[in-house]
Amino acid sequence: MTTTSDVINPATEELLRTVEQTDEAGVDDAVARARAAQRQWARQAPAERAAALRAFAAVVDAHVEELAQLEVANSGHPIGNARWEAGHVRDVLQYYSASPERLSGKQIPVAGGLDVTFNEPLGVVGVITPWNFPMTIASWGFAPALAAGNAVLVKPAEWTPLTTIRLGELAVEAGLPADLFQVVPGRGSVVGERFVSHPDVRKIVFTGSTEVGTRVMAGAAQQVKRVTLELGGKSANIVFDDCDLERAAATAPYGVFDNSGQDCCARSRILVQRNVFDRFMELFEPAVKGVVVGDPRAEGTEMGPLVSKAHWESVAGYVPDGAPVAFRGDAPTGPGYWFPPTVLTPPRDDRTVTEEIFGPVVTVLPFDHEADAIALANDTPYGLSGSIWTENVSRALRVSRAVESGNLSVNSHSSVRYSTPFGGFKQSGLGRELGPDAPLSFTETKNVFIAVQEEH
Ligand code: NAD
């Protein structure tokens, strides 16, 4: 029996489309076809594979506006952000199109012959994505995996599958071999779990919650299946008294409220040195109130709605009546899952400080000195991202080395560049995506020794 899932526009609550959910037999069929396509793909000359990825990038480039508008409708991302996301997919493809011709092995000096290593593709790779950045996160998996000679199946999240489905169509339009890159919409408990249990899916790239990621890792262990995990976060934005406080306060809203706080890298704990805490809050309040929340189709909008009603209820649960609200920004009323930027000043052990809220809610906490800031930043099972604001270079480096987190920025809130590695410490994940080495994580190293006969 075919099941379907309704896709809702979160800014209007209108039904956008109904998407058919793949069943287990559908996954098995997709894997079989991907396996056959992969064998052909791996036999192609490296330059041909590079050209195919460049063609895919060019087709994405020609559809940036269409993809962006689709993301606005499906995910409620502001149009400016959505254009950046679609352009980022093109850039990621373009970047990894250079890899097929550069995946060289090694020649290692040994006695009695020649020793060489090859970077062999894994086969079929299953990419499971969350709903918050559908296109970009899919591309971090599929682009380097394809570049390394693999076939890829992507399972998008149930709430936001539309741009990923469109990317699957654009791959075919660009001339990528049939079945090499397939989008398989469906439930996590059906499609996701079948990716994990299917013996011909050789690696899982999972991005999502730490809870589900833990299950994926346990399931993959049954077959010693390779995994990359990109999981939750509760990142700290550490503001020292010697920083440019005006700039730290003016940019802090964008370090946490971008994508309505539905960002694994959101700096959702702002730690401020006690002697500048009050001044920071004075500067932070107008910055929060200045965030433009509204129709995601409008050019000037900085923050849209939350993704769904269920998610709105989860976020709202963190701000009950009587919550320690310092101040809040604006949000539209009427249809749509709107939630205003919200600033809390709770005690250090409150659940708003320890749990990932994944919405536009930030906690601000005072600290006393550098060691206190580091201890507080590290007092979490997560370790994905973070920012450090200081004009003191030695302190910037000391704190950067001491914070247990995969992606830190000093005097900015940047986390993601396709040319640099991205991923988490502790329960924020396992492995790294992006950067020059990503294709290697979609290969096995094979060592071959060739004996050389002595001349008689
Ligand atoms: P989620 O874990 O609920 O779902 C993620 C994906 O897993 C979805 O496609 C879902 O259908 C699938 N899934 C669900 N159950 C499954 C199962 N049993 N087996 C296999 N797949 C299954 O996460 P979400 O709510 O979509 O996304 C939000 C979470 O993602 C947050 O915790 C956020 O921090 C995290 N995230 C992390 C990163 C990162 O790079 N570290 C990036 C974005 C989001």
Side-chain angles (χ1 to χ4, degrees):
M1 196 184 72
T2 312
T3 58
T4 59
S5 170
D6 288 345
V7 178
I8 308 289
N9 180 328
T12 63
E13 303 184 35
E14 285 162 0
L15 177 68
L16 268 176
R17 206 187 294 176
T18 297
V19 173
E20 232 174 75
Q21 306 292 282
T22 314
D23 60 12
E24 202 174 297
V27 178
D28 290 357
D29 176 56
V31 173
R33 287 185 286 114
R35 216 175 154 219
Q38 190 270 330
R39 292 201 184 103
Q40 297 286 334
W41 177 241
R43 273 201 288 270
Q44 282 192 18
E48 279 180 295
R49 281 189 270 129
L53 291 175
R54 283 196 295 272
F56 189 5
V59 172
V60 171
D61 185 51
H63 292 81
V64 161
E65 188 60 26
E66 181 202 324
L67 287 163
Q69 297 289 351
L70 196 56
E71 202 66 273
V72 171
N74 190 169
S75 303
H77 293 190
I79 182 65
N81 296 33
R83 285 191 186 116
W84 182 89
E85 289 160 29
H88 180 80
V89 174
R90 169 205 58 217
D91 294 344
V92 170
L93 278 165
Q94 189 75 32
Y95 182 70
Y96 289 112
S97 72
S99 298
E101 294 176 278
R102 289 172 174 77
L103 267 180
S104 46
K106 286 183 176 145
Q107 178 267 312
I108 298 169
V110 291
L114 173 73
D115 194 284
V116 287
T117 66
F118 295 92
N119 300 309
E120 303 286 14
L122 300 173
V124 179
V125 173
V127 177
I128 302 173
T129 60
W131 47 259
N132 63 328
F133 287 110
M135 281 187 273
T136 54
I137 290 175
S139 73
W140 302 353
F142 71 67
L146 290 170
N150 301 281
V152 179
L153 304 179
V154 182
K155 190 207 90 64
E158 292 91 319
W159 288 338
T160 59
L162 299 187
T163 49
T164 313
I165 291 172
R166 186 70 185 121
L167 283 172
E169 294 164 359
L170 294 179
V172 174
E173 205 174 293
L176 228 61
D179 302 329
L180 184 71
F181 173 58
Q182 300 174 54
V183 178
V184 190
R187 283 191 216 291
S189 56
V190 178
V191 177
E193 290 200 5
R194 188 59 186 144
F195 280 10
V196 174
S197 68
H198 199 302
D200 287 334
V201 176
R202 295 292 168 81
K203 173 163 185 166
I204 301 289
V205 179
F206 174 85
T207 306
S209 60
T210 296
E211 189 189 344
V212 178
T214 309
R215 286 187 60 171
V216 166
M217 191 174 178
Q222 303 292 318
Q223 296 166 18
V224 197
K225 189 170 293 199
R226 280 74 180 128
V227 287
T228 296
L229 303 173
E230 296 285 5
L231 310 175
K234 190 74 187 175
S235 298
N237 174 9
I238 309 175
V239 179
F240 285 100
D241 62 1
D242 61 14
C243 80
D244 178 344
L245 205 62
E246 276 76 16
R247 215 154 68 77
T251 57
Y254 302 96
V256 58
F257 299 141
D258 192 53
N259 202 24
S260 308
Q262 303 168 126
D263 183 340
C264 51
C265 292
R267 275 70 165 171
S268 52
R269 295 181 297 150
I270 306 181
L271 316 182
V272 184
Q273 200 152 7
R274 201 179 295 278
N275 57 329
V276 292
F277 188 89
D278 292 343
R279 179 67 187 136
F280 177 84
M281 291 301 265
E282 270 170 32
L283 294 164
F284 189 38
E285 181 164 359
V288 169
K289 292 189 168 158
V291 175
V292 183
V293 185
D295 184 351
R297 292 168 304 177
E299 294 289 337
T301 295
E302 294 177 321
M303 194 182 116
L306 291 171
V307 70
S308 70
K309 178 99 173 75
H311 189 55
W312 186 96
E313 277 161 8
S314 159
V315 173
Y318 285 95
V319 193
D321 288 345
V325 175
F327 40 83
R328 304 184 91 162
D330 282 331
T333 50
Y337 311 121
W338 302 100
F339 201 90
T342 301
V343 178
L344 304 178
T345 48
R348 286 185 177 195
D349 59 354
D350 193 75
R351 77 181 190 110
T352 56
V353 177
T354 57
E355 294 176 16
E356 183 184 46
I357 301 173
F358 225 54
V361 180
V362 70
T363 57
V364 193
L365 306 170
F367 69 84
D368 291 310
H369 45 72
E370 193 175 306
D372 187 29
I374 292 166
L376 194 49
N378 287 339
D379 187 18
T380 167
Y382 297 117
L384 189 55
S385 185
S387 304
I388 298 152
W389 288 79
T390 177
E391 293 293 300
N392 178 330
V393 177
S394 297
R395 166 173 278 166
L397 279 169
R398 278 196 308 270
V399 178
S400 297
R401 297 301 300 271
V403 173
E404 298 164 337
S405 182
N407 301 85
L408 291 165
S409 52
V410 175
N411 297 330
S412 85
H413 297 298
S414 95
S415 291
V416 170
R417 272 165 256 90
Y418 55 78
S419 55
T420 59
F422 176 80
F425 277 36
K426 301 193 282 186
Q427 292 182 32
S428 281
L430 186 72
R432 291 293 178 271
E433 297 192 286
L434 298 175
D437 298 333
L440 286 175
S441 64
F442 295 100
T443 65
E444 294 286 5
T445 301
K446 180 182 285 171
N447 192 70
V448 177
F449 171 74
I450 303 162
V452 176
Q453 303 293 331
E454 293 293 327
E455 207 177 6
H456 296 295

